């Protein structure tokens, strides 16, 4: 079990850094179609911010309450990704061919743009949840079976 | 044509890689491996592969280091020093020969950035020319990963998901 870090310096820096990392992760995720980055890196950054909260404040702190809730959403990103593919099938086309997404008022290129954005969000959620889930799994050991996370 | 910066980066890579193998303490080895990933990210950025550099610095230098350190804290005893056995003489002779063989093979590779190399005349011109009007996405890497090769990316996402599930199943057995 990870113990909370008792240094004021580390805790203050953590409080400063964690929102910045989350903001940067969101920027990278939604700017991935114009610059470097995208779903994978954005997801890792979003996950890293929560992991930093676990490492600094401990898994049982209120700062890490998001982490213990978020790991129940494992697989949500995959459902989003495959669901976009399924919507393309419903739209009458091939699996993951975003040109067949049924969005009224959009041309083919814009539909592909929306499809790329949605699947990137799916990848980001999947990667972030998996990273947090692995860290929480690793931070358990058999000596503290009475704790609840 | 080789610039001094590339030689400097190559030296940094070789030094950190060697140090990560030769150092006697596992935690030091993990930290040096993280710095190796960071220098590798600088190399990718220097050669213009910004997306790869981004992933390398975030995953290799950041997330993987955290995973390694947590694994060490969970598994290893308090003393993380290692005492590697001396390598057998077959490795001492065979591995340099293998390196020479690889260097000899590398001399046949196309030059860096050669427009007539097989990699840049096959499908990449199609992607580069059509991705903007096909997908309205200026970053070609994103449009290839998420649209042209979306099925590959879906399966990669399944792989990541499986890794998380496997870790939870193996390490959180006693949990509800």
């Amino acid at each position: 079990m990870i113990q909370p870090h008792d240094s004021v310096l580390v805790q203050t820096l953590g409080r400063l850094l964690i929102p910045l990392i989350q903001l940067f992760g969101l920027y990278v995720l939604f700017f991935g179609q114009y610059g470097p980055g995208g779903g994978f890196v954005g997801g890792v950054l979003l996950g890293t911010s929560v992991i930093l909260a676990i490492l600094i404040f401990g898994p049982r702190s209120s700062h890490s309450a998001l982490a213990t809730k978020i790991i129940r959403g494992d697989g949500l990103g995959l459902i989003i990704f495959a669901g976009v593919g399924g919507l393309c099938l419903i739209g009458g086309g091939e699996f993951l061919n975003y040109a067949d997404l049924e969005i009224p008022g959009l041309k083919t290129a814009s539909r592909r743009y929306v499809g790329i954005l949605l699947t990137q969000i799916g990848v980001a959620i999947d990667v972030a949840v998996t990273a947090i889930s692995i860290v929480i799994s690793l931070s358990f050991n058999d000596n503290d079976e009475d704790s609840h996370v | 044509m080789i610039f001094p910066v590339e030689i400097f980066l190559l030296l940094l890579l070789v030094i950190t890689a060697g140090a990560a193998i030769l150092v006697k303490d596992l935690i030091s080895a993990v930290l040096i491996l993280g710095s190796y990933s960071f220098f590798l990210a600088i190399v990718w950025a220097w050669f213009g592969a910004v997306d790869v550099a981004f992933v390398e610095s975030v995953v290799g230098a950041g997330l993987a280091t955290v995973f390694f350190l947590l694994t060490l804290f969970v598994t290893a005893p308090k003393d993380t020093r290692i005492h590697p056995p001396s390598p057998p003489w077959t490795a001492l002779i065979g591995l340099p020969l293998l390196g020479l063989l690889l260097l000899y093979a590398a001399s046949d590779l196309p030059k860096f950035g050669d427009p007539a190399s097989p990699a840049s005349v096959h499908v990449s011109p199609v992607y580069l020319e059509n991705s903007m009007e096909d997908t309205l996405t200026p970053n070609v890497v994103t449009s290839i990963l998420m649209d042209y090769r979306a099925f590959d990316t879906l399966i990669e996402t399944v792989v990541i998901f499986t890794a998380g599930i496997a870790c939870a199943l193996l390490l959180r057995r006693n949990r509800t």
Side-chain angles (χ1 to χ4, degrees), chain B:
Chain B
M1 189 146 41
I2 294 178
F3 300 105
V5 180
E6 292 161 16
I7 294 180
F8 178 65
L9 287 174
L10 185 66
L11 269 180
L12 277 177
L13 276 184
V14 170
I15 289 173
T16 45
I21 298 173
L22 292 178
V23 79
K24 299 282 187 227
D25 183 69
L26 276 178
I27 292 182
S28 314
V30 166
L31 292 178
I32 294 173
L33 205 61
S35 68
Y36 170 81
S37 284
F38 188 70
F39 290 132
L40 196 59
I42 298 179
V43 171
W44 295 127
W46 177 258
F47 283 121
V50 196
D51 283 275
V52 186
F54 208 166
V55 175
E56 181 69 44
S57 64
V58 168
V59 177
L63 198 59
T65 309
V66 174
F67 284 168
F68 276 134
L69 283 180
L70 280 177
T71 313
L72 277 184
F73 288 144
V74 172
T75 58
K78 291 289 170 266
D79 185 18
T80 54
R81 281 172 298 178
I82 43 177
H83 308 283
S86 59
W89 61 272
T90 46
L92 285 178
I93 297 173
L95 289 180
L97 284 179
L98 184 67
L100 280 180
L101 202 65
L102 286 176
L103 278 179
Y104 173 70
S107 62
D108 275 347
L109 288 176
K111 283 196 167 51
F112 177 72
D114 186 9
S117 68
S120 44
V121 295
H122 183 48
V123 287
S124 31
V126 182
Y127 291 150
L128 290 175
E129 285 160 12
N130 298 336
S131 94
M132 188 62 194
E133 53 189 89
D134 274 355
T135 64
L136 284 178
T137 300
N139 187 358
V140 188
V141 178
T142 302
S143 70
I144 289 177
L145 277 180
M146 287 305 185
D147 198 336
Y148 294 107
R149 298 274 187 240
F151 204 74
D152 286 0
T153 313
L154 176 65
I155 305 300
E156 281 167 19
T157 315
V158 174
V159 168
I160 292 172
F161 174 71
T162 315
I165 292 293
C167 271
L169 284 178
L170 288 174
L171 299 168
R172 278 191 265 165
R173 265 178 318 197
N174 302 328
R175 304 280 145 185
T176 51

